[in-house]
Amino acid sequence: MSSEETQNKVIEPSSSDLLASAKLVASAAQSTLRNESDKVDKTKVADAAGDLLDAAGKYGKLDEQKGVGQYVDKAADYLHQYQDKAAAPSQPADSKAEEGGGLGGLANLAGGFFKK
């Protein structure tokens, strides 16, 4: 296997990694409900939630090009790229901030999908 193939290969999380991600997301949700959101590492939670969405797309055999699969894929990509604004204060001047940034942006992305 060439080094280029090794660099392009995506490492899939194991089932124990997914369980740890689910535990982290659940813990963050509990902390937020107790009004302790300042104790939550949003970057880690966003990455864990992205891992869970990736797994849901894989195990659910969702098509990344159409239907629900495309929204799951976009949301997972967004979550993997999320950086806490406090942790990364220096944002390039030419980049635009996402509308409704943070995890609320995910709700805006999926908002049209969940309307009745």
Side-chain angles (χ1 to χ4, degrees):
M1 187 180 285
S2 72
S3 63
E4 184 177 313
E5 289 174 354
T6 305
Q7 290 175 349
N8 291 335
K9 185 176 180 180
V10 176
I11 299 172
E12 295 181 14
S14 67
S15 56
S16 61
D17 291 338
L18 292 174
L19 186 59
S21 292
K23 186 176 178 180
L24 179 64
V25 171
S27 175
Q30 288 175 341
S31 294
T32 302
L33 289 174
R34 288 189 304 260
N35 292 325
E36 298 173 349
S37 58
D38 56 325
K39 296 180 181 178
V40 175
D41 184 349
K42 294 176 184 170
T43 304
K44 285 184 181 180
V45 173
D47 195 44
D51 288 344
L52 293 173
L53 285 175
D54 283 336
K58 176 189 169 203
Y59 292 117
K61 298 179 183 173
L62 301 177
D63 185 359
E64 294 179 0
Q65 302 301 317
K66 58 184 175 182
V68 175
Q70 72 181 6
Y71 295 110
V72 170
D73 188 47
K74 285 181 183 179
D77 288 344
Y78 175 80
L79 288 169
H80 284 300
Q81 294 172 1
Y82 175 81
Q83 290 184 355
D84 192 10
K85 290 181 177 120
S90 60
Q91 186 176 19
D94 61 339
S95 68
K96 287 184 168 180
E98 292 287 328
E99 262 188 50
L103 294 178
L106 175 61
N108 291 338
L109 177 70
F113 178 75
F114 292 108
K115 289 184 180 178
K116 292 183 181 181

